[in-house]
Amino acid sequence: TAKEKPQEGEVIAVGKGRLNDKGDRIAPEVKKGDKVLFRKYSGTEINVGDEKYFILQESEILATL
């Protein structure tokens, strides 16, 4: 089977982080401006004008460059 090449993108916004089982907020490891790799079919793709954006959970990010 052919392997998919990961997609590369730049983080343009980051949420507040996720909550753990105790209700404590866990800060995200990525920040605005980071270059990241993610799988081709990860997240939700949206189009705003001529721009294409992906909404990803942090767990869908494969690596930070």
Side-chain angles (χ1 to χ4, degrees), residues 26-41:
I26 299 172
E29 293 185 22
V30 296
K31 62 187 179 306
K32 183 177 178 180
D34 283 352
K35 302 282 187 196
V36 296
L37 296 177
F38 56 95
R39 288 189 178 91
K40 185 173 184 177
Y41 298 107

Side-chain angles (χ1 to χ4, degrees), residues 1-34:
T1 61
K3 291 193 175 191
E4 296 175 12
K5 289 186 178 182
Q7 303 292 306
E8 183 178 331
E10 180 180 348
V11 178
I12 60 164
V14 179
K16 295 178 182 178
R18 63 183 175 86
L19 297 175
N20 66 13
D21 294 336
K22 296 179 182 178
D24 299 323
R25 179 115 11 228
I26 299 172
E29 293 185 22
V30 296
K31 62 187 179 306
K32 183 177 178 180
D34 283 352

